[in-house]
Amino acid sequence: MNSRTRDAAEDARDGRATPRPWVEWVAWFALLVVVTAFLISVRPHLNATYITLGYLLVVQGGSARRGRPLGLALAAVAFLSFDYFFLPPFGTFTIQDPLNWFVLLAFLATAVLSAQLLYRAQAEAAAARQRAVEIDRLASLGAETLSTARAEDALVAIASVIRTSLSLDRCGVYAADAESRGVRLAAESSEPAKRQPIDEKLVESAVREGRPAAEFVDGSSTADASAELIVQGDGAHPAVRAFIRPLQARGRTVGVLRVARNEGLSASAAQIRVLDALSYYAALGLERVRLVADAERAQTLQEAHRAKDAVLASVSHDLRTPLTTIKGLAHEIAAGGDDRADVIEEEADRLNRFVAQMLDLSRITTGVAAPNVQPNEAEDLLGAAAQQVSGRLAGRELRVTTDSSEALLFGSFDFSETLRAIVNLIDNAAKYSPPGTPIDLTATLDGRWLVFAVADRGPGVPRAERERIFEAFYRRPGPQSGAPDVGGAGLGLSISRGIAAAQGGGLDLEERPGGGSIFRFRVPAIPSSAFDGDGEGGFSKS
């Protein structure tokens, strides 16, 4: 913004009518003539100092009013008038006394320097006012963004502010879609009459590459641009019609901002700074929209899980009574010699176990089944688990070991529930590993945790599925995945993780060195020093 425009803006803001520039130039030169005439009338009583002061007042007044060009013009005319009218011989441009050269040049230097300093002070004051306006605008935008109830409305407000601040035809905010790796229009502010087609591929490229791009008025484009094209141009391209800049938040590209004007974009360096600041607001707006969507999605999933648990609990409870009746009738029929009744009874038992698992899962996830946590010894649990699975491993070896560096391993856990979880893990290892390969069951201390690890030599679980296998009813997708089809409902791991979580621990899966998987079941450990040698004092074993 130059001084002329600034003065006009100030006058308009103050309600003053702005005179035409040439009128003011004439007025200031007329004033210079009047001052000269007055000084000539009192010339016998003046010395060089009074004349210099009189002219400097006119020069500085003109500079303050119309900037440096008028000030320098007044200084040049005043310099000639000083010589012509006030330095002997009068009425000529001849200077007889060499000292008068010093006076004259000192006046000219003072006039030029004062005009220049005044111009610089005015420019700095204008820049300060501009920064104050930008700060006010950003503060208003920030308050408006924070106070808007809907995140989408805040984003539209940001787009509108950017468009009006930079006198654009169109401003669009595009969000990056992480799932589809594409973009979608999240908010836009535009003048409908000036809309033009958008190069969507260029927008997607800017999101994907995280680099600015530009469209030119001749229809060409570049996928590697900079804001300098708007400020100065580079001479190699026509005017920029649309500029696309990536929006960064938390170190990643969350979308792009596209600003466009059909006649070509133009902006000062100060306006580019404003665009930078407003772009950051747009990035925060996109993040807010994403976080709100994530929160709504999580709430929907939570409600769906609650509804699913309620349905499962209700259906499972209602199934147990008819299953008991079916099993009883099958038993009576089998006693009559019908062998088919045995099949009915076996299937009823299988279905009854499935219903029992669903009820267990429902109680664990809803917190109804509170664990009976007590101090227990790890070796007792390992022995009980080995004994319980000994009849169904079909000759497969179960190798049980404990941490040799500790005399005794104690943990705070529910013995029966933890035993059930460990047995589930051993059954799972037996299902998903080749027959004849051993299964390792160990107990170790890991910091404040007592860890029961079940390791197999199966095909392992791909990294993408290591969390999904703990979801209820999830089964790996068929033999083509490399996993054997072992049947089952996909509830064992979910129940085991729920048991661990209910006791303040956890259950994780790791890749086993050399092939296979390791399931680590963690519960809080109790230091052996809490027990005395006879099991008296401190904690007592359950």
Side-chain angles (χ1 to χ4, degrees):
M1 180 182 294
N2 56 34
S3 60
R4 183 181 303 173
T5 305
R6 182 177 61 250
D7 292 342
E10 291 176 352
D11 289 342
R13 187 173 60 249
D14 297 339
R16 300 193 302 265
T18 304
R20 295 179 179 178
W22 67 268
V23 173
E24 289 205 46
W25 276 63
V26 172
W28 280 102
F29 277 102
L31 178 61
L32 183 64
V33 172
V34 171
V35 171
T36 301
F38 173 74
L39 293 176
I40 292 174
S41 65
V42 295
R43 184 170 56 191
H45 308 287
L46 297 177
N47 58 26
T49 302
Y50 294 119
I51 298 170
T52 300
L53 290 176
Y55 279 138
L56 283 177
L57 288 175
V58 177
V59 171
Q60 292 180 355
S63 298
R65 184 59 187 169
R66 277 297 171 188
R68 184 170 52 183
L70 178 58
L72 295 178
L74 290 172
V77 175
F79 171 80
L80 296 176
S81 300
F82 198 154
D83 182 17
Y84 190 81
F85 294 110
F86 300 102
L87 295 180
F90 300 136
T92 67
F93 291 105
T94 302
I95 299 175
Q96 294 180 339
D97 188 350
L99 289 178
N100 286 339
W101 274 108
F102 174 76
V103 173
L104 196 57
L105 293 176
F107 163 74
L108 181 61
T110 303
V112 172
L113 184 61
S114 62
Q116 180 66 25
L117 292 176
L118 191 57
Y119 167 78
R120 182 177 300 176
Q122 289 177 327
E124 292 175 352
R129 287 195 296 272
Q130 181 66 26
R131 284 195 293 272
V133 171
E134 293 170 3
I135 291 172
D136 290 343
R137 183 183 297 132
L138 293 176
S140 301
L141 179 61
E144 186 176 344
T145 303
L146 293 175
S147 61
T148 303
R150 295 179 67 250
E152 292 81 0
D153 293 341
L155 207 54
V156 172
I158 293 170
S160 179
V161 169
I162 294 174
R163 186 177 70 83
T164 55
S165 298
L166 301 180
S167 302
L168 304 170
D169 294 338
R170 197 169 186 176
C171 176
V173 182
Y174 295 81
D177 191 332
E179 295 183 356
S180 66
R181 295 180 61 81
V183 296
R184 61 177 178 82
L185 180 62
E188 186 181 49
S189 175
S190 66
E191 295 187 15
K194 294 187 175 181
R195 285 190 173 186
Q196 285 196 353
I198 297 175
D199 188 343
E200 296 181 355
K201 291 184 178 179
L202 191 64
V203 174
E204 293 178 0
S205 172
V207 172
R208 189 169 53 253
E209 302 295 334
R211 292 189 299 185
E215 301 172 28
F216 303 103
V217 293
D218 64 351
S220 61
S221 62
T222 177
D224 188 9
S226 70
E228 296 299 320
L229 284 176
I230 302 176
V231 178
Q232 300 173 351
D234 61 357
H237 297 91
V240 176
R241 183 174 69 87
F243 184 69
I244 304 166
R245 60 173 304 154
L247 299 176
Q248 303 278 342
R250 301 181 181 180
R252 66 185 185 88
T253 301
V254 297
V256 295
L257 178 72
R258 182 181 183 276
V259 296
R261 185 162 55 204
N262 297 341
E263 295 78 14
L265 291 171
S266 62
S268 64
Q271 287 175 315
I272 293 299
R273 289 198 302 272
V274 174
L275 179 61
D276 291 341
L278 294 178
S279 297
Y280 183 63
Y281 274 98
L284 294 181
L286 281 180
E287 272 295 273
R288 184 184 171 191
V289 170
R290 185 186 65 81
L291 292 175
V292 169
D294 288 347
E296 291 176 347
R297 191 180 303 111
Q299 184 176 4
T300 302
L301 287 175
Q302 190 174 14
E303 291 174 354
H305 280 305
R306 285 199 197 99
K308 181 193 69 178
D309 292 339
V311 171
L312 284 177
S314 177
V315 171
S316 302
H317 185 270
D318 292 342
L319 280 176
R320 303 204 80 173
T321 301
L323 282 174
T324 303
T325 303
I326 292 172
K327 182 177 171 59
L329 291 175
H331 188 71
E332 291 180 4
I333 295 173
D338 192 340
D339 294 339
R340 294 177 297 176
D342 293 336
V343 178
I344 297 175
E345 194 170 1
E346 290 175 2
E347 292 300 317
D349 286 340
R350 192 169 70 87
L351 187 56
N352 198 33
R353 287 194 298 272
F354 176 65
V355 171
Q357 283 184 325
M358 287 198 297
L359 282 173
D360 290 341
L361 179 63
S362 175
R363 285 196 292 266
I364 290 171
T365 55
T366 57
V368 173
N372 181 23
V373 176
Q374 293 183 359
N376 288 291
E377 187 175 345
E379 286 192 350
D380 291 345
L381 184 77
L382 297 181
Q387 183 178 7
Q388 193 167 120
V389 301
S390 59
R392 53 196 194 218
L393 290 182
R396 188 195 299 262
E397 182 184 6
L398 176 66
R399 300 185 300 202
V400 180
T401 56
T402 57
D403 190 346
S404 59
S405 63
E406 295 287 337
L408 296 172
L409 296 177
F410 292 95
S412 181
F413 55 88
D414 183 314
F415 191 88
S416 60
E417 291 295 325
T418 304
L419 174 61
R420 184 154 66 118
I422 299 301
V423 169
N424 278 345
L425 296 178
I426 296 173
D427 287 341
N428 182 77
K431 289 178 182 177
Y432 289 96
S433 59
T437 57
I439 298 173
D440 293 305
L441 173 62
T442 60
T444 55
L445 279 179
D446 184 7
R448 64 188 184 93
W449 300 109
L450 173 60
V451 180
F452 297 101
V454 178
D456 61 56
R457 288 297 181 187
V461 180
R463 186 174 297 275
E465 293 187 49
R466 290 183 185 174
E467 281 300 313
R468 294 207 63 189
I469 62 172
F470 293 106
E471 296 177 2
F473 304 108
Y474 179 78
R475 294 176 59 194
R476 295 188 60 192
Q480 67 275 13
S481 67
D485 186 3
V486 298
L491 293 174
L493 293 180
S494 301
I495 292 174
S496 295
R497 175 172 270 193
I499 291 173
Q503 300 179 95
L507 173 60
D508 299 307
L509 169 64
E510 296 178 8
E511 183 179 357
R512 186 180 187 182
S517 303
I518 303 176
F519 288 87
R520 298 188 184 278
F521 185 97
R522 301 188 311 276
V523 292
I526 298 175
S528 57
S529 59
F531 299 89
D532 58 23
D534 299 328
E536 297 177 352
F539 292 108
S540 61
K541 292 169 59 179
S542 60

